[in-house]
Amino acid sequence: VQLVESGGGLVQAGGSLRLSCAASGFSFNDYAIGWFRQAPGKKREGVSCISPGEDSTNYADSVKGRFTISSDNAKNTVYLQMDSLKPEDTAIYYCAAVHSIVVPNCVAPRPGYFQNWGQGTQVTVSS
């Protein structure tokens, strides 16, 4: 299993970024893919989750209405479109994968449930 994130960077508050997570080594439709983030001194937290095979998505309350998760099954890639970014969104963003049987329909996708992680991509939002 391999997950490779890209798309992070520096953006002003109110701006947008799109993160990508390219997946390989597993059956894309059998897995849930989650986006998580970790800011300095804080615990890793869930941001969003998608289960392509179940057509399910999930968002943390802090990003609902601003972030959109999607997948391109032909490319085995998951995207996180982040709009109306705030300074508090600053963190390293990770994508992670686990078989969808562990988090059916992406309900309550805790970091500890996910077995496979990418290297992370830095997102910095300036005020």
Side-chain angles (χ1 to χ4, degrees):
V1 174
Q2 187 173 19
L3 301 165
V4 180
E5 304 98 332
S6 61
L10 172 64
V11 65
Q12 288 188 330
S16 298
L17 283 173
R18 189 177 81 156
L19 305 184
S20 298
C21 173
S24 61
F26 60 94
S27 180
F28 194 68
N29 280 336
D30 291 339
Y31 276 66
I33 311 294
W35 281 102
F36 299 84
R37 65 187 182 187
Q38 188 164 18
K42 294 190 176 181
K43 295 168 88 170
R44 191 167 297 189
E45 64 176 358
V47 175
S48 186
C49 178
I50 188 166
S51 181
E54 298 173 307
D55 198 24
S56 298
T57 59
N58 182 289
Y59 295 92
D61 288 342
S62 59
V63 306
K64 278 180 183 175
R66 299 189 298 123
F67 291 10
T68 304
I69 194 169
S70 62
S71 66
D72 184 333
N73 293 3
K75 295 182 178 180
N76 280 10
T77 299
V78 171
Y79 303 99
L80 185 68
Q81 178 66 42
M82 306 187 295
D83 299 318
S84 302
L85 282 162
K86 305 175 182 180
E88 51 263 44
D89 294 318
T90 295
I92 300 174
Y93 283 70
Y94 301 88
C95 66
V98 69
H99 198 285
S100 59
I101 197 171
V102 178
V103 282
N105 295 304
C106 275
V107 173
R110 295 189 178 91
Y113 292 163
F114 287 74
Q115 302 161 319
N116 306 287
W117 292 81
Q119 82 287 352
T121 186
Q122 176 71 47
V123 171
T124 303
V125 184
S126 63
S127 57

